[in-house]
Amino acid sequence: MKIRFITAAMVVLAATAACGGTTAVESAASTAGGTTSVVNCGQRLSVAAPPQRAITLEQNATEILLSLGLADRMVGTSYQTDPVQPALADDYRSVPVLAKLYPSRESVLQARPDFLYSTFTSAYAGDAAGPRAEHAKVGIPAYLSPFACEKPADGHASMSFEGLFAEIREVATLFGVADRGTSLVAAQQKRLDAAVQSAAVPQGTTALWYYSGTSTPYVAGQNGVPAAISTLLGLENVYADATQTWPAGSWETIATRDPDVIVLADLTRGGDGDSAESKIRYLRQNPATAKLTAVREGRFVTVSGSSMDPSIRSVEAVEQVGSGLRTVLR
């Protein structure tokens, strides 16, 4: 599980984005003499011309570039965690896969990239693609999502759709396709607005966001995508008092808080308590959870695991949760 620990802060910007309000987090990209520069996670990152040989280091970054129509400028991808979105599948097949998980720094350099992109800090570890600073020394800009900065103070303290859309626009600007970024964000914003407006969640509805694990369940706390969605839809997260984004929960605490609904991450990696099906089976068989209201009433809502990290799929998660809640709470 790729878990990101971020400093605690309230998810207040998401509501602005959901209402279609003016965006407060704008791209910091500046262009001078043909060179486009941004300050990304505390490092100055510049491209003298739009990248033509990009590598994405995990699926969320991959799907953002593919959604911007940049498959022909990608020389590598890696770390696929879910089936690629159907609309992107053909383009994905045209991009070389460098590694099942993260590629090594040597594999990255062999592909002769002119841009690297990841939405996870772990991609730039020494035993993965290598530190961003090392790539900068050989002239390769290495972009990292502002939700995953090495130093949290250099990025966003909590997930917001406003921040996600700003990242998409910034990446599009670096690739010289700012108009595509604007169009993609507008389409995502329209879907987000519709999902929020169509949600009819009774006041006081409580939810457990169950990510993985059985004997020790990992659940959603503050600052991540589930927290932002809960704010948008009016859900009360039963672990909202946890300061971590993905804390280790306990079934005893969950039984005491007895959520009305359980939102399940459907993970494809095949581990204990990863798939939504295995989670439901465990919840129904385990004496500590079988008596939970949500379990007895079958109030389960399923979303893909990758949509629970800031990505092009996160708006889809809002749609899935809103639709699921209308079904299980009717």
Side-chain angles (χ1 to χ4, degrees):
M1 175 170 54
K2 302 178 203 172
I3 299 177
R4 196 176 306 154
F5 293 96
I6 308 176
T7 56
M10 293 181 65
V11 183
V12 295
L13 295 178
T16 301
C19 296
T22 302
T23 302
V25 181
E26 293 295 344
S27 169
S30 61
T31 301
T35 297
T36 302
S37 298
V38 300
V39 176
N40 172 237
C41 287
Q43 296 185 22
R44 172 67 63 177
L45 185 153
S46 301
V47 294
Q52 301 295 320
R53 299 183 59 82
I55 291 177
T56 51
L57 297 171
E58 38 68 37
Q59 186 163 349
N60 290 341
T62 299
E63 292 191 345
I64 288 175
L65 289 198
L66 293 179
S67 297
L68 290 169
L70 295 170
D72 61 340
R73 298 207 227 157
M74 297 172 65
V75 295
T77 183
S78 58
Y79 218 133
Q80 180 182 349
T81 53
D82 286 301
V84 175
Q85 291 180 311
L88 304 175
D90 287 344
D91 283 342
Y92 180 81
R93 283 191 286 269
S94 72
V95 181
V97 176
L98 302 183
K100 182 177 180 180
L101 300 178
Y102 291 132
S104 66
R105 185 170 183 269
E106 291 72 22
S107 296
V108 167
L109 294 177
Q110 285 175 4
R112 296 183 293 109
D114 58 7
F115 192 87
L116 305 178
Y117 180 22
S118 180
T119 62
F120 289 104
T121 315
S122 51
Y124 293 118
D127 58 355
R132 294 195 299 143
E134 293 300 312
H135 290 291
K137 290 178 182 178
V138 294
I140 303 173
Y143 189 95
L144 178 60
S145 170
F147 294 113
C149 294
E150 296 94 342
K151 297 179 180 179
D154 290 334
H156 299 309
S158 59
M159 190 276 172
S160 72
F161 284 92
E162 192 172 20
L164 173 62
F165 295 161
E167 178 179 337
I168 292 171
R169 287 194 301 271
E170 186 166 79
V171 170
T173 299
L174 287 167
F175 276 82
V177 293
D179 56 336
R180 298 184 197 176
T182 298
S183 297
L184 178 57
V185 167
Q188 289 258 302
Q189 184 71 66
K190 183 177 180 180
R191 290 173 57 187
L192 182 62
D193 291 343
V196 173
Q197 290 167 8
S198 64
V201 180
Q203 186 174 4
T205 299
T206 60
L208 169 72
W209 294 78
Y210 178 14
Y211 189 84
S212 68
T214 50
S215 57
T216 299
Y218 284 88
V219 300
Q222 297 182 20
N223 305 315
V225 172
I229 295 176
S230 295
T231 298
L232 288 174
L233 300 184
L235 275 176
E236 295 182 9
N237 180 1
V238 296
Y239 265 91
D241 58 338
T243 57
Q244 300 104 325
T245 303
W246 295 106
S250 76
W251 293 123
E252 293 75 13
T253 299
I254 292 167
T256 299
R257 299 181 181 186
D258 194 21
D260 298 314
V261 177
I262 300 177
V263 183
L264 308 168
D266 193 20
L267 306 174
T268 60
R269 61 191 182 184
D272 182 36
D274 276 348
S275 71
E277 181 181 358
S278 68
K279 288 181 174 72
I280 292 173
R281 183 167 57 248
Y282 177 83
L283 289 168
R284 287 176 170 162
Q285 294 176 350
N286 178 20
T289 57
K291 295 181 180 180
L292 290 172
T293 298
V295 177
R296 288 188 290 104
E297 299 294 331
R299 294 178 186 159
F300 301 114
V301 176
T302 300
V303 299
S304 70
S306 57
S307 70
M308 287 195 182
D309 288 299
S311 71
I312 207 73
R313 296 175 180 238
S314 297
V315 168
E316 182 180 87
V318 181
E319 295 170 332
Q320 291 174 334
V321 173
S323 175
L325 290 173
R326 288 195 299 274
T327 298
V328 300
L329 295 175
R330 63 185 176 186

